[in-house]
Amino acid sequence: MKRYLLTPGPVTIPPEIALKEALPIFHHRTDEFAMIYKNIAKGLKYVFQTENEVYVLAASGTGAMEMAVANLLSMGDKIIVASCGNFGDRWAEIARGYGIEVISASVRWGKTIKPAEVERALKENPDVKAVYTTFTETSTGVANDIKAIGGIVSKTNAVLVVDAISGLVGQEFRTDEWKVDAVISASQKGFMLAPGLAFITLNGKAWELVDASKIPKFYFDIKKYKKFYAAGETPFTPPLTLITALQESVRLIEERGLKNIWNDCKLLAKATRAAMKALGLELFSEVPCEIVTSASVPVDIGVKIVKTLREKYGVSIAGGQGDLKGRIIRFAHLGCIGKADLLAGFTCLEMVLIELGVKIKKGKAAAAVEEILLRT
Ligand SMILES: Cc1ncc(COP(=O)(O)O)c(C=O)c1O
């Protein structure tokens, strides 16, 4: 059965990138590797919209999250975590694991972080070392106003650390301009690669914390990555197939241009929201992001919708995580998901809802998508 991967990561890998992943591997302590790595380094600065170095590590996104905690802090330090979902909560879990005191500026899942809350928490706790938050909270489909938070945190001694794992590439994000001190991301979302690579960039303010950090570390010691970066190398054996593919990913992103990609996702997000509403489903997020849309579904059929869609029609969407399991569905529109994928996905979703007893008139979802697409 043909598969449609409409999940917010991993995403479908375009053929240009998949072909690179199939090339024979080569040795990494060579000029050949250094040239590729230097090319990638330049491209990543564009993707992250930063003048600072972006390091590549062999890990899933959570590895970069752990790196951003273990390298910036010391046991007993205090941080603010502004979370609005499962992945935001992960910052607090990692930090507590390292003996860090966590102050919450979090909101209920589905809501967006309130920059004023972050400001208040910073005023009440002038000794915090950092604020950790999430750009697009994939578990709820919420976008956070990182620009506003950056403006607030930059006026204090604390650094702002942002998880842009799912939102980078697909939604406007400007590391330097928005005064974000540390950003992390991963390969299996906007980069359209297989899972396995993570990225991290720090500015000078964040590096000051690195120099003061006393947490013991080895594989995730960012100073090692910095040292090898200058020579076009990574400290440990890199996943060469993914690195070769990353070069192609960055090339494709540069070729299409970030602004065009942001607009592409925006259009698909608009059509997705319209289709959800046409199916009688209420949007779950207070401020929906541009890379995934979540909607509430009847709890008695929530899990069945995702399973039936995948097993009967080959269409994978995501369900809810944690307490939201069975209560929401999440439909992605990032990477190489296109207009026709939306039409196919929503037509099948509509059929599954009808099969599960939801009263909807046939053709509503596709008509809503068409309406948006025909207007642009
Ligand atoms: C916003 C966000 N943060 C963190 C993660 C965790 O990344 P990984 O599963 O690659 O470790 C994800 C994965 O979906 C994510 O979307």
Side-chain angles (χ1 to χ4, degrees):
M1 183 163 41
K2 181 168 179 189
R3 287 184 196 205
Y4 293 80
L5 196 51
L6 305 176
T7 53
V11 298
T12 297
I13 300 171
E16 299 94 317
I17 292 180
L19 283 171
K20 299 288 180 189
E21 285 184 7
L23 288 175
I25 58 162
F26 52 97
H27 201 266
H28 56 290
R29 304 291 179 210
T30 56
D31 291 345
E32 185 184 2
F33 181 81
M35 212 169 72
I36 292 174
Y37 197 61
K38 284 178 179 170
N39 263 338
I40 289 170
K42 203 153 65 64
L44 286 176
K45 286 185 177 192
Y46 168 68
V47 177
F48 278 76
Q49 294 284 290
T50 184
E51 293 297 320
N52 294 306
E53 296 173 352
V54 183
Y55 308 112
V56 181
L57 44 145
S60 84
T62 307
M65 293 177 82
E66 179 141 3
M67 195 180 216
V69 171
N71 283 270
L72 297 181
L73 304 170
S74 303
M75 203 190 238
D77 277 353
K78 214 193 254 187
I79 61 164
I80 292 168
V81 170
S83 164
C84 60
N86 195 28
F87 294 113
D89 288 357
R90 189 167 293 178
W91 280 128
E93 284 174 57
I94 298 172
R96 288 197 184 102
Y98 280 103
I100 309 296
E101 186 184 337
V102 174
I103 289 158
S104 170
S106 302
V107 293
R108 200 150 47 80
W109 289 21
K111 299 287 174 198
T112 191
I113 309 272
K114 309 288 175 277
E117 262 304 291
V118 175
E119 192 166 27
R120 187 195 55 76
L122 278 165
K123 277 206 179 108
E124 282 174 11
N125 301 279
D127 54 339
V128 297
K129 290 276 163 51
V131 175
Y132 286 76
T133 193
T134 317
F135 174 36
T136 54
E137 176 49 76
T138 327
S139 67
T140 58
V142 163
N144 289 314
D145 190 346
I146 301 300
K147 188 179 177 185
I149 298 171
I152 290 164
V153 180
S154 66
K155 293 193 191 103
T156 70
N157 290 329
V159 302
L160 174 61
V161 184
V162 174
D163 166 357
I165 287 179
S166 60
L168 194 77
V169 184
Q171 181 160 342
E172 181 173 4
F173 188 89
R174 299 179 184 275
T175 301
D176 291 356
E177 204 181 306
W178 293 358
K179 303 182 168 53
V180 187
D181 304 298
V183 183
I184 57 130
S185 197
S187 53
Q188 76 274 23
K189 317 266 182 180
F191 285 95
M192 302 172 290
L193 293 164
L197 291 180
F199 312 104
I200 183 164
T201 180
L202 306 186
N203 68 8
K205 192 176 172 189
W207 272 105
E208 284 177 23
L209 284 189
V210 173
D211 291 332
S213 167
K214 291 195 179 63
I215 289 175
K217 55 224 160 232
F218 185 81
Y219 184 76
F220 283 135
D221 181 354
I222 198 165
K223 285 186 180 163
K224 292 190 175 72
Y225 291 79
K226 184 177 176 55
K227 190 172 150 209
F228 279 77
Y229 180 95
E233 290 189 45
T234 54
F236 311 109
T237 311
L240 287 147
T241 41
L242 281 175
I243 297 275
T244 313
L246 174 61
Q247 181 172 239
E248 182 65 9
S249 155
V250 167
R251 191 191 69 74
L252 289 174
I253 293 168
E254 285 178 314
E255 186 180 82
R256 176 83 185 120
L258 280 174
K259 280 192 185 145
N260 288 326
I261 299 174
W262 297 337
N263 283 333
D264 292 344
C265 287
K266 209 178 252 183
L267 174 64
L268 297 188
K270 198 169 162 193
T272 302
R273 288 170 206 151
M276 290 290 195
K277 287 182 193 158
L279 289 172
L281 304 176
E282 199 183 320
L283 298 185
F284 181 72
S285 344
E286 185 182 26
V287 177
C289 65
E290 315 285 16
I291 58 105
V292 62
T293 297
S294 60
S296 300
V297 286
V299 274
D300 53 326
I301 57 167
V303 173
K304 271 194 214 145
I305 295 171
V306 177
K307 191 169 183 305
T308 315
L309 199 51
R310 186 177 59 245
E311 289 176 358
K312 196 157 176 190
Y313 297 104
V315 175
S316 284
I317 60 169
Q321 298 180 331
D323 290 346
L324 293 178
K325 192 172 162 72
R327 290 180 46 213
I328 61 167
I329 52 170
R330 295 176 296 140
F331 197 114
H333 26 82
L334 76 165
C336 66
I337 291 171
K339 296 169 183 164
D341 296 315
L342 279 204
L343 285 161
F346 270 107
T347 300
C348 295
L349 175 59
E350 188 174 86
M351 286 192 285
V352 167
L353 289 173
I354 291 169
E355 284 163 30
L356 292 173
V358 180
K359 300 265 173 294
I360 325 167
K361 252 176 122 186
K362 288 202 262 324
K364 281 269 203 182
V369 174
E370 282 176 39
E371 190 60 39
I372 302 287
L373 298 184
L374 284 171
R375 263 196 260 143
T376 50

